[in-house]
Amino acid sequence: MSELKPGRSFVSAQQVAELAGVSRSAVSRTFTDGASVSETTRKKVLEAAETLGYHVNHLARSLIHEDSGIVCLIGADINTPYHSRLIDAITRRLQAINRVAMVINTSGDTDSVEAALRQTLNYRANATVVLSGTPPTSLINTCLNSGQHVILINRDDHLDGPENISVDNAAAAREAFHMLHRAGSRRIAVVSSQAGTPSLVARERAFETAAGEAGLDVTITRAGPTGYGAGFEAGRLLLSGSHRPDAAFCVTDLLACGFMDAARVEFGMNVPEELCVVGFDDIEQAGWASYQLTTFRQPIVQVADHITMLLDGEDPLRQRGGSVSFHADPVWRRTVRPK
Amino acid sequence: MSELKPGRSFVSAQQVAELAGVSRSAVSRTFTDGASVSETTRKKVLEAAETLGYHVNHLARSLIHEDSGIVCLIGADINTPYHSRLIDAITRRLQAINRVAMVINTSGDTDSVEAALRQTLNYRANATVVLSGTPPTSLINTCLNSGQHVILINRDDHLDGPENISVDNAAAAREAFHMLHRAGSRRIAVVSSQAGTPSLVARERAFETAAGEAGLDVTITRAGPTGYGAGFEAGRLLLSGSHRPDAAFCVTDLLACGFMDAARVEFGMNVPEELCVVGFDDIEQAGWASYQLTTFRQPIVQVADHITMLLDGEDPLRQRGGSVSFHADPVWRRTVRPK
DNA sequence: GGGCTGCTTGCACAAATGTGCAAGGACTGA
DNA sequence: TCAGTCCTTGCACATTTGTGCAAGCAGCCC
């Protein structure tokens, strides 16, 4: 008879079995879907489990099945509106298919990325979703070699092993140019940040190309690390000169908010009369009355749905290395002149 | 000789031992701090591990120690600026002390809270941090009975078992009143939401009391579920009447942003000349040029530090049921008239 | 009642790891 | 060179769970 420690420590199946007067196998089978247990013993077991407060140990269970039920989300800047919404959507859907998310924050030192991916392997995560940033290819290969399922989001360099889910940045950026061009803008600035994320670079490039095809030159400004501050600074730099732009494509909504604030507060400009602005992401603040930003909606729901689809499939490894791209639809608000 | 599967599946210590020509115990000891291994075997083991891509299985390790290294963060509305910053800070510090965060999202259905806490127990989480919301007391007791370490953040009802970390909402709300009162405001509105979170209620109450002591009546408006939309709606309701308030204490910065936008966009009012506003949380947007909101700073860093301190202590259970309260300092910006 | 069928149940083993214990080996001092 | 000491190492058992296999048992049909 094993010793019962009522208050502390976790209850094991052995203790439940002893209280219920059955074998430990019976307890195990009671909590295993599709196992063969009679209704009477099932009842005894459930009652004993309730009394003792028993909860199946998923760690031990994962030793046997290869499925730990853990999915790692790794990313930097997770307090950003876009990222936090993405994490919100993914965690919610993962829970719906009985997985649980381990969030690994790679902000700060660069070594932390390596340590983070090691955690992924240590906990035998079912899959690793790389939300952003630029983890070295070697580390991704480490995961792949260990049989890990790797899902990359918004890395436009399409690697072979992992699954790629991306947004059609190029198409959206082209559309952004045409929106501004059609509105009559001819001196268009591109506002970006020093982050150098693949998606940001893709948006810059595609916009520049589309402008070139229309015979326009654009200047790309990268005034700070990321976000609102960089946008504000870019606005201060670009609008203080004598040759002011009449429109800006900001590769991120946060940049756009900063840019607009600089234009209005520092220079008293009117948007969209004197300055048109287009953003990207469609964060919550883009819809606020102070901004009413015309932008492109990140297909967050589709991305989250696709991830769960990949993980919930009967054979999650069947289409390894596949690539999916979702469209970012324009959201018309008030920062681009109509017609 | 166990079969080597090079590409797929995870590598076990047994395989490393065979390649290195030592016993499995030696492998185990190589990866255990403080265990006795000679330098030569350690080298052989590390080399073999590197070759095969071995990573210690934390799930199996956790079967032996009671320490799984997993900390559950459970909360709703995790895409909110305040919550995402809190999660950012906590995950970062947890990683620094070699723990990893499991994020459980309790937005949506109410049953999900129960399922979430079960996950906590299933994975033998080292501790459960309840970020917000109002999980039933019975579920918290379930965790405590299983020997779980429970840490509640910003629940002003101080329960016995769990650790409580809170913000001194009452003191800040009193200070908010005096800020507005000293600025000459006499018709002060309190803007809140229908969320009914303990912290929000505490702020409402304390402000009301302080106003009452100064001989002023305040009306509390709860115009929507939460956030910006509720603040905007409250602004529309309160400012359309003939008896406009000349100041508002918004129990959340998001509410304050919505309220200010309604005042300016819908009614063309000037802040702070015609209307003073004080918020709470000091989210990033409060510092944006469009708002420059005077508010109270959530002690996010202190809270995160305290959590890690509790978990990293030699005996994490030593001061069970302790309560700590941090002060929320005022951040003066431009939405309250000076002097 | 006997034989057959099918469900239930316990035993024993599997999964990957940490660790006490005893044995072995190397080194030192006399 | 021998005894003693200390470090290293392998064996075996521990952690918690799932499951194949065989035995047991009930029920049913002839």
CSV table of all heavy atoms in Angstrom, one decimal, chain A residues 7-10 55-56 58-59 68 88 91 95 101 103 105 121-124 145 147 228 261 288-291, chain B residues 7-8 10 55-56 58-59 68 88 91 95 101 103 105 121-124 145-147 228 261 288-291:
chain,number,residue,atom,x,y,z
A,7,GLY,N,-2.3,16.4,1.4
A,7,GLY,CA,-2.2,17.8,1.0
A,7,GLY,C,-1.3,18.0,-0.1
A,7,GLY,O,-1.7,18.5,-1.2
A,8,ARG,N,-0.1,17.7,0.0
A,8,ARG,CA,1.0,18.0,-1.0
A,8,ARG,C,1.0,17.0,-2.1
A,8,ARG,O,0.4,16.0,-2.1
A,8,ARG,CB,2.3,18.1,-0.2
A,8,ARG,CG,2.4,19.1,0.8
A,8,ARG,CD,3.0,20.4,0.1
A,8,ARG,NE,4.1,20.1,-0.8
A,8,ARG,CZ,4.0,20.0,-2.1
A,8,ARG,NH1,2.9,20.2,-2.7
A,8,ARG,NH2,5.1,19.8,-2.8
A,9,SER,N,1.8,17.4,-3.1
A,9,SER,CA,2.2,16.4,-4.1
A,9,SER,C,1.0,16.0,-5.0
A,9,SER,O,-0.1,16.2,-4.6
A,9,SER,CB,2.9,15.2,-3.5
A,9,SER,OG,3.0,14.2,-4.4
A,10,PHE,N,1.4,15.4,-6.1
A,10,PHE,CA,0.3,15.0,-7.0
A,10,PHE,C,-0.1,13.6,-6.8
A,10,PHE,O,0.6,12.8,-6.3
A,10,PHE,CB,0.8,15.2,-8.5
A,10,PHE,CG,0.8,16.6,-8.9
A,10,PHE,CD1,2.0,17.3,-8.9
A,10,PHE,CD2,-0.3,17.2,-9.4
A,10,PHE,CE1,2.0,18.6,-9.3
A,10,PHE,CE2,-0.3,18.5,-9.8
A,10,PHE,CZ,0.8,19.2,-9.8
A,55,HIS,N,-5.4,13.7,-11.6
A,55,HIS,CA,-5.3,14.3,-12.9
A,55,HIS,C,-4.2,13.5,-13.7
A,55,HIS,O,-3.1,13.4,-13.2
A,55,HIS,CB,-5.0,15.8,-12.9
A,55,HIS,CG,-6.1,16.6,-12.3
A,55,HIS,ND1,-7.1,17.1,-13.0
A,55,HIS,CD2,-6.3,16.9,-11.0
A,55,HIS,CE1,-7.9,17.8,-12.2
A,55,HIS,NE2,-7.4,17.7,-10.9
A,56,VAL,N,-4.6,13.0,-14.9
A,56,VAL,CA,-3.6,12.3,-15.6
A,56,VAL,C,-2.3,13.1,-15.9
A,56,VAL,O,-2.4,14.3,-16.1
A,56,VAL,CB,-4.2,11.9,-17.0
A,56,VAL,CG1,-3.2,11.1,-17.8
A,56,VAL,CG2,-5.4,11.0,-16.8
A,58,HIS,N,0.3,14.2,-18.1
A,58,HIS,CA,0.6,14.3,-19.5
A,58,HIS,C,2.0,14.1,-19.8
A,58,HIS,O,2.4,13.7,-20.9
A,58,HIS,CB,0.1,15.6,-20.1
A,58,HIS,CG,-1.3,15.6,-20.4
A,58,HIS,ND1,-2.3,14.9,-19.8
A,58,HIS,CD2,-2.0,16.3,-21.4
A,58,HIS,CE1,-3.5,15.1,-20.3
A,58,HIS,NE2,-3.3,15.9,-21.3
A,59,LEU,N,2.9,14.4,-18.8
A,59,LEU,CA,4.3,14.2,-19.1
A,59,LEU,C,4.6,12.7,-19.2
A,59,LEU,O,5.3,12.3,-20.2
A,59,LEU,CB,5.1,14.8,-17.9
A,59,LEU,CG,4.8,16.2,-17.6
A,59,LEU,CD1,5.6,16.7,-16.4
A,59,LEU,CD2,5.1,17.1,-18.8
A,68,SER,N,3.1,15.0,-27.6
A,68,SER,CA,3.1,15.6,-26.3
A,68,SER,C,2.0,16.6,-26.1
A,68,SER,O,1.7,17.0,-25.0
A,68,SER,CB,4.5,16.3,-26.1
A,68,SER,OG,4.5,17.4,-26.9
A,88,ASP,N,-3.0,35.4,-29.5
A,88,ASP,CA,-4.3,35.2,-29.0
A,88,ASP,C,-5.1,34.2,-29.9
A,88,ASP,O,-5.7,33.2,-29.4
A,88,ASP,CB,-5.0,36.5,-29.0
A,88,ASP,CG,-6.4,36.4,-28.4
A,88,ASP,OD1,-6.6,35.6,-27.5
A,88,ASP,OD2,-7.3,37.2,-28.9
A,91,THR,N,-3.4,30.5,-29.8
A,91,THR,CA,-3.6,29.8,-28.6
A,91,THR,C,-5.1,29.3,-28.4
A,91,THR,O,-5.3,28.2,-28.0
A,91,THR,CB,-3.3,30.7,-27.3
A,91,THR,OG1,-3.9,31.9,-27.4
A,91,THR,CG2,-1.8,30.9,-27.3
A,95,GLN,N,-6.1,25.3,-28.2
A,95,GLN,CA,-6.9,24.7,-27.1
A,95,GLN,C,-8.1,24.0,-27.6
A,95,GLN,O,-8.5,23.0,-27.0
A,95,GLN,CB,-7.3,25.8,-26.1
A,95,GLN,CG,-6.1,26.3,-25.3
A,95,GLN,CD,-6.4,27.6,-24.5
A,95,GLN,OE1,-5.5,28.4,-24.3
A,95,GLN,NE2,-7.6,27.8,-24.2
A,101,ALA,N,-0.2,25.8,-25.8
A,101,ALA,CA,0.9,26.5,-26.4
A,101,ALA,C,2.0,26.9,-25.3
A,101,ALA,O,1.7,27.2,-24.2
A,101,ALA,CB,0.4,27.8,-26.9
A,103,VAL,N,4.9,29.5,-24.9
A,103,VAL,CA,5.4,30.7,-25.6
A,103,VAL,C,6.8,31.0,-25.2
A,103,VAL,O,7.1,31.0,-24.0
A,103,VAL,CB,4.5,31.9,-25.2
A,103,VAL,CG1,5.1,33.2,-25.7
A,103,VAL,CG2,3.1,31.7,-25.8
A,105,ASN,N,9.9,33.6,-25.7
A,105,ASN,CA,10.1,35.0,-26.0
A,105,ASN,C,11.6,35.2,-26.4
A,105,ASN,O,12.4,35.0,-25.6
A,105,ASN,CB,9.7,35.8,-24.8
A,105,ASN,CG,9.7,37.3,-25.1
A,105,ASN,OD1,10.2,37.8,-26.1
A,105,ASN,ND2,9.0,38.1,-24.3
A,121,LEU,N,12.9,21.4,-28.1
A,121,LEU,CA,13.3,20.0,-28.2
A,121,LEU,C,13.2,19.3,-26.9
A,121,LEU,O,12.9,18.2,-26.8
A,121,LEU,CB,14.7,20.0,-28.8
A,121,LEU,CG,14.8,20.5,-30.2
A,121,LEU,CD1,16.3,20.7,-30.6
A,121,LEU,CD2,14.1,19.6,-31.2
A,122,ASN,N,13.6,20.0,-25.8
A,122,ASN,CA,13.6,19.4,-24.5
A,122,ASN,C,12.2,19.0,-24.1
A,122,ASN,O,12.1,17.9,-23.5
A,122,ASN,CB,14.1,20.4,-23.4
A,122,ASN,CG,15.6,20.6,-23.5
A,122,ASN,OD1,16.3,19.7,-23.9
A,122,ASN,ND2,16.1,21.7,-23.0
A,123,TYR,N,11.2,19.7,-24.4
A,123,TYR,CA,9.9,19.4,-24.0
A,123,TYR,C,9.2,18.6,-25.1
A,123,TYR,O,8.0,18.3,-25.0
A,123,TYR,CB,9.1,20.6,-23.7
A,123,TYR,CG,9.5,21.1,-22.3
A,123,TYR,CD1,10.3,22.2,-22.2
A,123,TYR,CD2,9.0,20.5,-21.2
A,123,TYR,CE1,10.7,22.7,-20.9
A,123,TYR,CE2,9.3,21.0,-19.9
A,123,TYR,CZ,10.2,22.1,-19.8
A,123,TYR,OH,10.5,22.5,-18.6
A,124,ARG,N,9.9,18.1,-26.1
A,124,ARG,CA,9.4,17.2,-27.2
A,124,ARG,C,8.1,17.8,-27.8
A,124,ARG,O,7.1,17.2,-27.9
A,124,ARG,CB,9.1,15.9,-26.6
A,124,ARG,CG,10.3,15.1,-26.1
A,124,ARG,CD,11.3,14.9,-27.1
A,124,ARG,NE,12.4,14.0,-26.7
A,124,ARG,CZ,13.6,14.4,-26.4
A,124,ARG,NH1,13.9,15.7,-26.4
A,124,ARG,NH2,14.5,13.5,-26.1
A,145,ASN,N,15.8,17.9,-38.0
A,145,ASN,CA,16.6,16.7,-37.8
A,145,ASN,C,16.0,15.8,-36.7
A,145,ASN,O,16.2,14.6,-36.7
A,145,ASN,CB,18.0,16.9,-37.6
A,145,ASN,CG,18.7,17.4,-38.9
A,145,ASN,OD1,18.2,17.1,-40.0
A,145,ASN,ND2,19.8,18.1,-38.8
A,147,GLY,N,13.1,15.5,-36.0
A,147,GLY,CA,11.7,15.1,-36.3
A,147,GLY,C,10.7,16.1,-35.9
A,147,GLY,O,9.5,15.7,-35.8
A,228,TYR,N,6.1,52.7,-33.4
A,228,TYR,CA,5.6,54.0,-33.4
A,228,TYR,C,6.7,55.1,-33.4
A,228,TYR,O,6.7,56.0,-34.2
A,228,TYR,CB,4.7,54.2,-32.1
A,228,TYR,CG,4.2,55.6,-32.0
A,228,TYR,CD1,3.0,55.9,-32.6
A,228,TYR,CD2,4.9,56.6,-31.3
A,228,TYR,CE1,2.5,57.2,-32.4
A,228,TYR,CE2,4.4,57.9,-31.1
A,228,TYR,CZ,3.2,58.2,-31.7
A,228,TYR,OH,2.7,59.4,-31.6
A,261,ASP,N,1.1,61.1,-36.5
A,261,ASP,CA,1.2,62.0,-35.4
A,261,ASP,C,2.2,63.0,-35.6
A,261,ASP,O,2.0,64.2,-35.2
A,261,ASP,CB,1.5,61.2,-34.1
A,261,ASP,CG,0.2,60.5,-33.5
A,261,ASP,OD1,-0.9,60.9,-34.0
A,261,ASP,OD2,0.3,59.7,-32.6
A,288,TRP,N,-9.1,53.3,-34.7
A,288,TRP,CA,-9.4,54.4,-33.7
A,288,TRP,C,-9.8,55.7,-34.4
A,288,TRP,O,-9.2,56.0,-35.5
A,288,TRP,CB,-8.3,54.6,-32.7
A,288,TRP,CG,-8.2,53.5,-31.7
A,288,TRP,CD1,-8.8,52.3,-31.7
A,288,TRP,CD2,-7.3,53.4,-30.6
A,288,TRP,NE1,-8.4,51.5,-30.7
A,288,TRP,CE2,-7.5,52.2,-29.9
A,288,TRP,CE3,-6.4,54.3,-30.0
A,288,TRP,CZ2,-6.8,51.8,-28.8
A,288,TRP,CZ3,-5.7,54.0,-28.9
A,288,TRP,CH2,-5.9,52.7,-28.3
A,289,ALA,N,-10.6,56.4,-33.8
A,289,ALA,CA,-11.1,57.7,-34.5
A,289,ALA,C,-10.0,58.6,-34.8
A,289,ALA,O,-10.1,59.4,-35.7
A,289,ALA,CB,-12.2,58.3,-33.6
A,290,SER,N,-8.9,58.6,-34.0
A,290,SER,CA,-7.8,59.6,-34.2
A,290,SER,C,-7.0,59.2,-35.5
A,290,SER,O,-6.3,60.1,-36.0
A,290,SER,CB,-6.9,59.6,-33.0
A,290,SER,OG,-7.5,60.3,-32.0
A,291,TYR,N,-7.2,58.0,-35.9
A,291,TYR,CA,-6.3,57.6,-37.1
A,291,TYR,C,-7.2,57.3,-38.3
A,291,TYR,O,-7.0,57.8,-39.4
A,291,TYR,CB,-5.4,56.4,-36.7
A,291,TYR,CG,-4.5,56.8,-35.6
A,291,TYR,CD1,-4.7,56.5,-34.2
A,291,TYR,CD2,-3.4,57.6,-35.8
A,291,TYR,CE1,-3.9,56.9,-33.2
A,291,TYR,CE2,-2.5,58.0,-34.8
A,291,TYR,CZ,-2.8,57.7,-33.5
A,291,TYR,OH,-2.0,58.1,-32.5
B,7,GLY,N,17.2,10.1,-39.1
B,7,GLY,CA,16.5,11.3,-39.5
B,7,GLY,C,15.3,11.6,-38.6
B,7,GLY,O,15.3,12.6,-37.9
B,8,ARG,N,14.5,10.7,-38.4
B,8,ARG,CA,13.2,10.9,-37.7
B,8,ARG,C,13.4,10.7,-36.2
B,8,ARG,O,14.4,10.3,-35.7
B,8,ARG,CB,12.1,10.0,-38.2
B,8,ARG,CG,11.8,10.2,-39.6
B,8,ARG,CD,10.6,11.2,-39.8
B,8,ARG,NE,9.6,10.9,-38.8
B,8,ARG,CZ,9.5,11.5,-37.7
B,8,ARG,NH1,10.3,12.5,-37.3
B,8,ARG,NH2,8.5,11.3,-36.8
B,10,PHE,N,13.1,11.3,-31.9
B,10,PHE,CA,14.1,11.9,-31.0
B,10,PHE,C,15.1,10.9,-30.6
B,10,PHE,O,14.9,9.7,-30.6
B,10,PHE,CB,13.3,12.4,-29.8
B,10,PHE,CG,12.6,13.7,-30.1
B,10,PHE,CD1,11.3,13.7,-30.4
B,10,PHE,CD2,13.3,14.9,-30.0
B,10,PHE,CE1,10.6,14.9,-30.6
B,10,PHE,CE2,12.7,16.1,-30.3
B,10,PHE,CZ,11.3,16.1,-30.6
B,55,HIS,N,19.0,15.7,-27.1
B,55,HIS,CA,18.5,16.8,-26.2
B,55,HIS,C,17.7,16.1,-25.1
B,55,HIS,O,16.9,15.2,-25.3
B,55,HIS,CB,17.5,17.7,-26.9
B,55,HIS,CG,18.2,18.5,-28.0
B,55,HIS,ND1,18.7,19.8,-27.8
B,55,HIS,CD2,18.4,18.2,-29.3
B,55,HIS,CE1,19.2,20.2,-28.9
B,55,HIS,NE2,19.1,19.3,-29.8
B,56,VAL,N,18.1,16.4,-23.8
B,56,VAL,CA,17.5,15.8,-22.7
B,56,VAL,C,16.0,15.9,-22.7
B,56,VAL,O,15.5,17.0,-23.1
B,56,VAL,CB,18.0,16.4,-21.4
B,56,VAL,CG1,17.4,15.8,-20.2
B,56,VAL,CG2,19.5,16.3,-21.3
B,58,HIS,N,12.9,16.6,-21.1
B,58,HIS,CA,12.4,17.2,-19.8
B,58,HIS,C,11.2,16.5,-19.3
B,58,HIS,O,10.9,16.6,-18.1
B,58,HIS,CB,12.1,18.7,-20.0
B,58,HIS,CG,13.3,19.6,-19.9
B,58,HIS,ND1,14.6,19.1,-20.2
B,58,HIS,CD2,13.5,20.8,-19.4
B,58,HIS,CE1,15.5,20.1,-20.0
B,58,HIS,NE2,14.8,21.1,-19.5
B,59,LEU,N,10.4,15.9,-20.2
B,59,LEU,CA,9.2,15.2,-19.7
B,59,LEU,C,9.6,14.1,-18.8
B,59,LEU,O,9.0,13.9,-17.7
B,59,LEU,CB,8.4,14.7,-20.9
B,59,LEU,CG,8.0,15.8,-22.0
B,59,LEU,CD1,7.3,15.2,-23.1
B,59,LEU,CD2,7.2,16.9,-21.3
B,68,SER,N,8.8,20.5,-12.9
B,68,SER,CA,8.7,20.3,-14.3
B,68,SER,C,9.3,21.5,-15.1
B,68,SER,O,9.5,21.4,-16.3
B,68,SER,CB,7.2,20.2,-14.7
B,68,SER,OG,6.5,21.4,-14.5
B,88,ASP,N,4.8,39.5,-21.9
B,88,ASP,CA,6.1,39.7,-22.4
B,88,ASP,C,7.1,39.7,-21.3
B,88,ASP,O,8.2,39.0,-21.3
B,88,ASP,CB,6.2,41.0,-23.2
B,88,ASP,CG,7.5,41.3,-23.8
B,88,ASP,OD1,8.2,40.3,-24.2
B,88,ASP,OD2,7.9,42.5,-23.8
B,91,THR,N,7.3,36.2,-19.3
B,91,THR,CA,8.0,35.1,-20.1
B,91,THR,C,9.5,35.4,-20.1
B,91,THR,O,10.3,34.4,-20.0
B,91,THR,CB,7.4,35.0,-21.5
B,91,THR,OG1,7.5,36.3,-22.1
B,91,THR,CG2,6.0,34.5,-21.5
B,95,GLN,N,12.2,32.7,-18.5
B,95,GLN,CA,13.3,32.1,-19.3
B,95,GLN,C,14.7,32.3,-18.7
B,95,GLN,O,15.5,31.4,-18.7
B,95,GLN,CB,13.3,32.6,-20.7
B,95,GLN,CG,12.1,32.0,-21.5
B,95,GLN,CD,11.9,32.7,-22.8
B,95,GLN,OE1,10.8,32.8,-23.3
B,95,GLN,NE2,13.0,33.2,-23.4
B,101,ALA,N,7.1,29.2,-20.1
B,101,ALA,CA,5.7,29.6,-19.9
B,101,ALA,C,4.7,28.8,-20.8
B,101,ALA,O,5.0,28.7,-22.0
B,101,ALA,CB,5.5,31.1,-20.0
B,103,VAL,N,1.0,29.3,-22.0
B,103,VAL,CA,0.0,30.3,-22.0
B,103,VAL,C,-1.4,29.7,-22.2
B,103,VAL,O,-1.5,29.0,-23.3
B,103,VAL,CB,0.3,31.4,-23.0
B,103,VAL,CG1,-0.9,32.4,-23.1
B,103,VAL,CG2,1.6,32.2,-22.6
B,105,ASN,N,-5.3,30.6,-22.7
B,105,ASN,CA,-6.2,31.7,-23.1
B,105,ASN,C,-7.6,31.3,-22.7
B,105,ASN,O,-8.2,30.4,-23.2
B,105,ASN,CB,-6.1,31.9,-24.6
B,105,ASN,CG,-6.7,33.1,-25.0
B,105,ASN,OD1,-7.6,33.7,-24.4
B,105,ASN,ND2,-6.3,33.6,-26.2
B,121,LEU,N,-2.8,21.2,-14.4
B,121,LEU,CA,-2.6,20.0,-13.5
B,121,LEU,C,-2.0,18.9,-14.3
B,121,LEU,O,-1.2,18.1,-13.9
B,121,LEU,CB,-3.8,19.6,-12.8
B,121,LEU,CG,-4.4,20.7,-11.8
B,121,LEU,CD1,-5.8,20.4,-11.4
B,121,LEU,CD2,-3.5,20.8,-10.6
B,122,ASN,N,-2.6,18.7,-15.5
B,122,ASN,CA,-2.1,17.6,-16.4
B,122,ASN,C,-0.6,17.7,-16.7
B,122,ASN,O,0.1,16.7,-16.7
B,122,ASN,CB,-2.9,17.6,-17.7
B,122,ASN,CG,-4.3,17.1,-17.6
B,122,ASN,OD1,-4.5,16.3,-16.6
B,122,ASN,ND2,-5.1,17.5,-18.5
B,123,TYR,N,-0.1,18.9,-16.9
B,123,TYR,CA,1.3,19.1,-17.2
B,123,TYR,C,2.1,19.3,-16.0
B,123,TYR,O,3.3,19.6,-16.1
B,123,TYR,CB,1.5,20.2,-18.2
B,123,TYR,CG,1.1,19.7,-19.6
B,123,TYR,CD1,-0.2,20.1,-20.2
B,123,TYR,CD2,1.9,19.0,-20.4
B,123,TYR,CE1,-0.5,19.7,-21.4
B,123,TYR,CE2,1.6,18.5,-21.7
B,123,TYR,CZ,0.3,18.9,-22.2
B,123,TYR,OH,0.0,18.5,-23.4
B,124,ARG,N,1.6,19.1,-14.8
B,124,ARG,CA,2.3,19.2,-13.6
B,124,ARG,C,3.1,20.5,-13.5
B,124,ARG,O,4.3,20.6,-13.1
B,124,ARG,CB,3.3,18.0,-13.4
B,124,ARG,CG,2.7,16.7,-13.4
B,124,ARG,CD,1.7,16.6,-12.3
B,124,ARG,NE,1.2,15.2,-12.0
B,124,ARG,CZ,0.0,14.8,-12.3
B,124,ARG,NH1,-0.9,15.6,-12.8
B,124,ARG,NH2,-0.4,13.6,-12.0
B,145,ASN,N,-5.1,22.1,-3.7
B,145,ASN,CA,-5.1,20.8,-3.1
B,145,ASN,C,-4.2,19.8,-3.8
B,145,ASN,O,-3.7,18.8,-3.2
B,145,ASN,CB,-6.6,20.2,-3.3
B,145,ASN,CG,-7.5,20.8,-2.3
B,145,ASN,OD1,-7.0,21.4,-1.2
B,145,ASN,ND2,-8.8,20.8,-2.5
B,146,SER,N,-3.9,20.0,-5.0
B,146,SER,CA,-2.9,19.2,-5.7
B,146,SER,C,-1.5,19.6,-5.5
B,146,SER,O,-0.6,19.2,-6.2
B,146,SER,CB,-3.2,19.2,-7.2
B,146,SER,OG,-4.5,18.7,-7.5
B,147,GLY,N,-1.3,20.5,-4.6
B,147,GLY,CA,0.1,21.0,-4.3
B,147,GLY,C,0.6,22.0,-5.2
B,147,GLY,O,1.8,22.2,-5.3
B,228,TYR,N,-11.4,50.3,-25.8
B,228,TYR,CA,-11.6,51.5,-26.5
B,228,TYR,C,-13.1,51.8,-26.9
B,228,TYR,O,-13.6,52.9,-26.7
B,228,TYR,CB,-10.8,51.5,-27.8
B,228,TYR,CG,-10.9,52.7,-28.7
B,228,TYR,CD1,-10.0,53.8,-28.5
B,228,TYR,CD2,-11.8,52.8,-29.7
B,228,TYR,CE1,-10.1,54.9,-29.3
B,228,TYR,CE2,-11.9,53.9,-30.5
B,228,TYR,CZ,-11.0,54.9,-30.3
B,228,TYR,OH,-11.1,56.0,-31.1
B,261,ASP,N,-11.1,60.4,-27.8
B,261,ASP,CA,-11.4,60.4,-29.2
B,261,ASP,C,-12.9,60.9,-29.4
B,261,ASP,O,-13.2,61.7,-30.3
B,261,ASP,CB,-11.2,59.1,-29.9
B,261,ASP,CG,-9.7,58.9,-30.3
B,261,ASP,OD1,-9.0,59.9,-30.1
B,261,ASP,OD2,-9.3,57.8,-30.6
B,288,TRP,N,1.6,58.2,-26.9
B,288,TRP,CA,1.6,58.7,-28.3
B,288,TRP,C,1.2,60.1,-28.3
B,288,TRP,O,0.4,60.6,-27.5
B,288,TRP,CB,0.6,57.8,-29.1
B,288,TRP,CG,1.1,56.4,-29.4
B,288,TRP,CD1,2.2,55.9,-28.9
B,288,TRP,CD2,0.4,55.5,-30.3
B,288,TRP,NE1,2.3,54.6,-29.4
B,288,TRP,CE2,1.3,54.3,-30.3
B,288,TRP,CE3,-0.7,55.5,-31.1
B,288,TRP,CZ2,0.9,53.2,-31.0
B,288,TRP,CZ3,-1.0,54.3,-31.8
B,288,TRP,CH2,-0.2,53.2,-31.8
B,289,ALA,N,1.7,60.8,-29.3
B,289,ALA,CA,1.5,62.2,-29.4
B,289,ALA,C,0.0,62.6,-29.5
B,289,ALA,O,-0.3,63.7,-29.1
B,289,ALA,CB,2.3,62.8,-30.7
B,290,SER,N,-0.8,61.8,-30.1
B,290,SER,CA,-2.2,62.1,-30.2
B,290,SER,C,-2.9,62.1,-28.8
B,290,SER,O,-4.0,62.7,-28.7
B,290,SER,CB,-2.9,61.1,-31.1
B,290,SER,OG,-2.6,61.4,-32.4
B,291,TYR,N,-2.4,61.5,-27.8
B,291,TYR,CA,-3.0,61.4,-26.6
B,291,TYR,C,-2.3,62.1,-25.4
B,291,TYR,O,-2.9,62.9,-24.7
B,291,TYR,CB,-3.3,59.9,-26.2
B,291,TYR,CG,-4.2,59.2,-27.3
B,291,TYR,CD1,-3.6,58.5,-28.3
B,291,TYR,CD2,-5.5,59.4,-27.3
B,291,TYR,CE1,-4.4,57.9,-29.3
B,291,TYR,CE2,-6.4,58.9,-28.3
B,291,TYR,CZ,-5.8,58.1,-29.2
B,291,TYR,OH,-6.6,57.6,-30.2
